[in-house]
Structure formats: C-alpha cells, structure tokens
Amino acid sequence: MERLSWDQYFMAQSHLLASRSTCTRLVVGATIVREKRIIAGGYNGSIAGGPHCTDEGCYMIDGHCVRTIHAEMNAILQCAKFGEPTEGAEIYVTHYPCLQCCKAIIQAGIKGVYFAKDYKNHPYASELYKAAHVTVKKVPFDDLIKLKLAGVQETK
C-alpha cells in the first residue's frame, strides 16, 4: 500500500478531529503543524463546559451561530493556552477558513493554510493571505484516501 503524503496525513487528522464537532450546521476540524509535528488540533463546538448545539440547538444571530467557536480558532487558542508557538506553522482545515479565522491565522504567524473543501471562500481572505505571504493550497480528501486509511487496497 502506498503511504499517505504529509498533506494527506495531516488532512486525515483534521477530518478525525472534525468527528468531535458539536455543530449541527457544519462539521470542521483543524490541525496545526510545525516542522512535520502536530502541535494542536481543534474542532468547531461550544466553549469548554458550555451547552452544545447538539444539545440545545444553535444560537443564531444574523444567520450565524454564535455558540460555536471555529475549529481554526480552537486550535490556535490551544497553542496559546499551552505555550506552543505558531510562528511559521501550517494549518490543515477540512473547509476553507472564514474571514475571521483567516485574520487570526495570519496574526498567529501561520504561513501555510491547507484545506480540503471550499466553503464560502471570501475574496478578501485570499487578498489577506497573499499580502501576508501565506501559502494556501487545496488538499482534497477523497474516498481513495479513506480507503487507504482503512487499509483497503484499490481495485482496478
């Protein structure tokens, strides 16, 4: 069996993290990596100890659930909480980061954003990444990778 590439490996980790999401609208996971080492992970859900959307429903304001912290933000905050530097790191996210997460990623000094699925990609986020010299790359997470993770050989 062919090994997963580093991008596929870290993206798989993000999809695993997403399985912990408590958001009923979109399931997202994020993995922060520095020098090919995972330093933090996050998924979208409520604050620690708070009520979850899966338990009490979404708390909607202007079309957005304000109960949920995004996966990218959770991963960045985990680094802050445990004193793990993010300067020069990379983040692997199941979905293209929203504009607010884009700004947090740039402020955290993360230099690479890898995402599996497009999701409301904001053109200003693209401008911000370019201005901050952040690499942005789509890393599809398809059924073939899922088969590889399960140890199933591809049939031709």
Side-chain angles (χ1 to χ4, degrees), residues 2 27 61 68 138:
E2 186 180 324
V27 173
I61 297 177
T68 302
K138 189 171 188 177

Side-chain angles (χ1 to χ4, degrees), residues 43-58:
Y43 52 88
N44 57 333
S46 300
I47 60 168
H52 296 285
C53 298
T54 51
D55 299 327
E56 297 189 12
C58 293

Side-chain angles (χ1 to χ4, degrees), residues 16-29 42-59 65 67-71 74:
L16 180 61
L17 283 160
S19 70
R20 292 277 307 150
S21 172
T22 59
C23 179
T24 57
R25 299 179 51 189
L26 186 67
V27 173
V28 181
Y43 52 88
N44 57 333
S46 300
I47 60 168
H52 296 285
C53 298
T54 51
D55 299 327
E56 297 189 12
C58 293
Y59 184 0
C65 178
R67 187 185 311 278
T68 302
I69 299 172
H70 291 189
N74 262 332

Side-chain angles (χ1 to χ4, degrees), residues 75-147:
I76 290 168
L77 292 170
Q78 188 179 83
C79 287
K81 183 176 183 178
F82 295 106
E84 193 66 51
T86 53
E87 186 69 36
E90 300 169 316
I91 190 166
Y92 289 79
V93 191
T94 57
H95 295 75
Y96 190 88
C98 74
L99 187 54
Q100 295 306 315
C101 286
C102 160
K103 292 187 272 185
I105 287 165
I106 292 167
Q107 283 300 99
I110 293 171
K111 290 299 179 188
V113 175
Y114 303 88
F115 68 99
K117 296 178 186 171
D118 292 300
Y119 183 74
K120 299 182 180 179
N121 301 24
H122 198 288
Y124 186 51
S126 181
E127 289 179 39
L128 290 173
Y129 287 136
K130 188 175 181 177
H133 306 288
V134 173
T135 300
V136 179
K137 179 182 173 188
K138 189 171 188 177
V139 178
F141 190 76
D142 58 19
D143 290 337
L144 178 58
I145 295 169
K146 292 174 190 173
L147 289 174

